[in-house]
Every structure is written in C-alpha cells, then in structure tokens.
Amino acid sequence: MSGPDPGDAHQQDSIISISGVQKSYDGIALIGKNLDLRIRRGEFLTILGPSGSGKTTTLMMIAGFEVPTAGEIRLNGRDITRTPPYKRGIGVVFQNYALFPHMNIAENIGYPLKVRGVDSGKIVKMVEDALAMVKLSGFGTRRPAQLSGGQQQRVALARALVFQPELILLDEPLGALDKKLREQMQYELKQIHEELGVTMVYVTHDQSEALIMSDRVAVFDNGIMQQLASPVELYEHPVNAFVADFIGENNRLSGIVKEVNPGRVSVQLPDGELVEALAVNQFSIGDPAILSIRPERVVREPSDDFENIFSAAMKKQIYLGEAIRDVMRFGGSDEFVMKTDNSEESRIAGHATTIKIGWRTSHCLAFERT
C-alpha cells in the first residue's frame, strides 16, 4: 500500500498555485510557457531572470494586471485567473513607487484602507503602525516629492502592508536605489518578512539580491522556469548551464566527452587537457559538454591528491579589497578566473607568467551542450 504523496503537504500549504499557465501578447510568441509553480504560505520567493525572461509577466498575472492566455491561477484554492486586481486582496510594490503626488504620505498609505471602507479612526492608527514598521514615524504630513528615493520606497511598502494582506508582490522595488541603500533595504525587507510572516514574491534580475533575501528562488529564462530551489541548492547544484552561468560567477569551458563513468565524465578541452567532472546529464563518448567551475573553487598550487591539476597562463590580477581575482588563459578560454582571499602571497602570485591551478572533481559540473 503506497503512502501519501509528499507533494500533498506543499499543495495544501500553497497560498498561490499556478497550473499550466501560458501568456502570449500576439497569439504567436509565448512570454510564459506551461508554467507550474506553487508558492508556499509565509515564504520569501524570488523570481529571477534576465530581461525578457517572463518574470515580471508572471508577477503581473498573479496580481491580476495581466490575464493568462491559458492555464489557471489559484489563491488559497480559489480560482482568481480572471478576477480583477482590486478583488484579490494582494499588496503590490512597483519599482517606480506609484505614489500619488497630490497626497501626503499618510493619505498615500491610507488609500487602500479608504477604498475598502475602513473607519477613518482606525485608518489613522493603522497608518501610524505602518509608518513605524518602515521606520518613517513622523513623516505622515510630508509629500512624496519631499522624500528621498529610499524613503519613497518605504512608503510604497507601507502602503502594500497597511491592509494586512496575506501576499505581497514586489516588482524590482529596489532597482532605482544606489548600491549602499539597496543593500540596506534588502535586509530591512527580509526583517519585515520574518517579523510579519507575510508571503512575499519578489522579482529581480540581480542574482546576489536573490541569494541574500530568498527562501527559494525560481530562475526564469525564455518564458520557462529553469529551476526552483533554495539559494544554496541553486548555487551548488544548478540543473543546467544557464542556471550555473546566471547564478554567481562561473568559469565555462567547452569540450568533448572522452570517458564515461558512473556519475562522472572525462572531458577533453580544445588545448588537449582532460578534465574530470561530475555528470549532471547523461553522456556518451563523443558528446559535446559544457564544464562549470566556480572561481572560488579553483586553487593555486594544488596538492597532488587533486584530480584536476593544470598549468595556466596568467593575464592579469584584479584587486577587489577583500579578495584577489586572477584572470588566466586556460582550456580555450582567455577569461578563466580564480578568486582567492586577499593575502601577500596571492598578490605576489599575480606577477607570475604561468601558474599551477587545480580543483576537485566534485567542484566541476558537466552539462549537455544545447
């Protein structure tokens, strides 16, 4: 007798269920292709991908600003595929803030409560609480034009939170902020998420932002969800070459499979080197393959027990402060990178013309070349 389906618990605990969703604007090109996605209650899920990958379109379909060409979207088990946005009870934060310039901050934040018919006395208290949540107590009488970009973004977040929705959608909300403020807001957003327990779905093209903030990340490319996993799983175990390249820095080498063993392959590079790698896909001898090695996994002067040891031609060394980035010519690539902690030994090594490098087989992944 078979036991319960392990997916049942996730199905029951999903706040959003997207099934077989497609989206086309012209009836020909599909922006979204047969998307199936379950968003867990209380999680911080990031939809990550390059421009044109379908990530924002997916968010807008959840919000109700776009209608799927096919498939269905359910909120708490209720079909909302064609329910208008104002009837979904979902908070939305846009990149451009979308604040009303003629209203003060308190009026902007209280607007969702006003249209829902909340008593004016309650609105004042709820707006004050929302302002405190985003560290803007006392700013209620100001106008949006009197605030900085970061402050306006906090107001937009407070407006999305004020009516206490179960789900908040954020479309690249930090994209217009400078680097330091952006990093500060990342941690503040994550803290608010943890304190409130509200489900957040966050769209970005910034992979470091996704790794920092998310419980899970859905990586999109060409309208297809390539992988859905935790940040650690995505970085350490990408399922294809696109995810490996898009998540973090990555050395990408092309070669031909020369030997196949259980779970492993030997791949010959254009210059003749044989590299031992973990086989992510099924390979036969003679198949083309893409190798992926993270720069921080490459070791200078490796010990003899390393499976992969080679000589590389040093091109340049880049000083990053906390780290050193060596750029080499190796395996048919002119931009093979090794990243090490900043030390006097690392800096001296940059003056060499050739250098011995290596990595473990477990740190080298072989993908099919499509």
Side-chain angles (χ1 to χ4, degrees), residues 270-347:
D271 293 343
E273 301 95 337
L274 275 176
V275 178
E276 295 292 317
L278 295 182
V280 178
N281 304 114
Q282 294 292 322
F283 288 99
S284 298
I285 293 174
D287 286 345
I290 298 291
L291 297 180
S292 168
I293 310 108
R294 300 290 186 190
E296 70 273 16
R297 302 299 193 189
V298 181
V299 175
R300 180 186 292 109
E301 298 297 331
S303 58
D304 292 340
D305 64 335
F306 272 58
E307 300 92 338
N308 295 293
I309 301 176
F310 307 99
S311 291
M314 182 72 77
K315 288 181 60 181
K316 59 184 175 181
Q317 187 172 80
I318 301 171
Y319 182 80
L320 301 176
E322 80 284 356
I324 298 293
R325 192 170 184 267
D326 293 319
V327 182
M328 296 163 277
R329 183 177 295 109
F330 170 74
S333 171
D334 285 336
E335 298 292 328
F336 190 87
V337 175
M338 175 173 60
K339 195 172 183 181
T340 56
D341 292 337
N342 183 1
S343 68
E344 184 176 356
E345 181 184 18
S346 296
R347 294 193 296 274

Side-chain angles (χ1 to χ4, degrees), residues 82 163 369:
R82 284 166 176 76
F163 64 96
R369 193 162 71 200

Side-chain angles (χ1 to χ4, degrees), residues 144-157:
Q146 295 175 296
L147 303 186
S148 68
Q151 290 170 333
Q152 290 186 53
Q153 191 54 268
R154 291 168 198 246
V155 173
L157 179 60

Side-chain angles (χ1 to χ4, degrees), residues 109 125-135 158 161-162:
I109 295 174
K125 177 64 167 63
M126 294 173 76
V127 168
E128 288 176 352
D129 290 345
L131 281 168
M133 191 185 308
V134 296
K135 299 180 174 63
L161 289 166
V162 73

Side-chain angles (χ1 to χ4, degrees), residues 39-216:
I39 300 170
R40 299 171 186 166
R41 194 177 310 280
E43 79 171 324
F44 195 115
L45 175 79
T46 295
I47 300 176
L48 174 70
S51 297
S53 61
K55 59 187 187 296
T56 295
T57 298
T58 298
L59 196 80
M60 292 299 101
M61 288 191 290
I62 296 172
F65 298 114
E66 297 286 355
V67 178
T69 307
E72 70 173 18
I73 301 173
R74 290 183 172 272
L75 171 64
N76 289 321
R78 177 172 59 93
D79 188 348
I80 59 166
T81 310
R82 284 166 176 76
T83 301
Y86 65 90
K87 289 187 177 181
R88 299 191 181 199
I90 296 173
V92 183
V93 180
F94 298 100
Q95 182 176 350
N96 64 357
Y97 317 135
L99 301 178
F100 298 116
H102 63 286
M103 293 183 182
N104 66 27
I105 300 310
E107 290 167 339
N108 264 282
I109 295 174
Y111 184 77
L113 300 174
K114 184 177 179 181
V115 298
R116 285 169 171 80
V118 177
D119 179 80
S120 58
K122 290 184 178 179
I123 289 178
V124 173
K125 177 64 167 63
M126 294 173 76
V127 168
E128 288 176 352
D129 290 345
L131 281 168
M133 191 185 308
V134 296
K135 299 180 174 63
L136 287 178
S137 295
F139 281 69
T141 58
R142 300 191 190 186
R143 300 276 180 172
Q146 295 175 296
L147 303 186
S148 68
Q151 290 170 333
Q152 290 186 53
Q153 191 54 268
R154 291 168 198 246
V155 173
L157 179 60
R159 185 178 60 186
L161 289 166
V162 73
F163 64 96
Q164 300 172 345
E166 292 182 273
L167 174 65
I168 294 180
L169 309 177
L170 304 103
D171 185 18
E172 306 221 32
L174 309 183
L177 305 182
D178 63 62
K179 183 178 185 294
K180 186 174 181 180
L181 182 56
R182 185 183 183 114
E183 290 174 352
Q184 178 185 339
M185 285 296 296
Q186 288 170 6
Y187 289 108
E188 289 188 13
L189 260 177
K190 187 60 179 171
Q191 184 178 1
I192 289 171
H193 167 255
E194 291 171 353
E195 289 176 354
L196 298 181
V198 63
T199 308
M200 289 188 174
V201 181
Y202 190 96
V203 160
T204 184
H205 64 273
D206 185 327
Q207 45 92 8
S208 63
E209 190 166 85
L211 295 178
I212 290 169
M213 301 178 71
S214 312
D215 297 318
R216 291 192 300 163

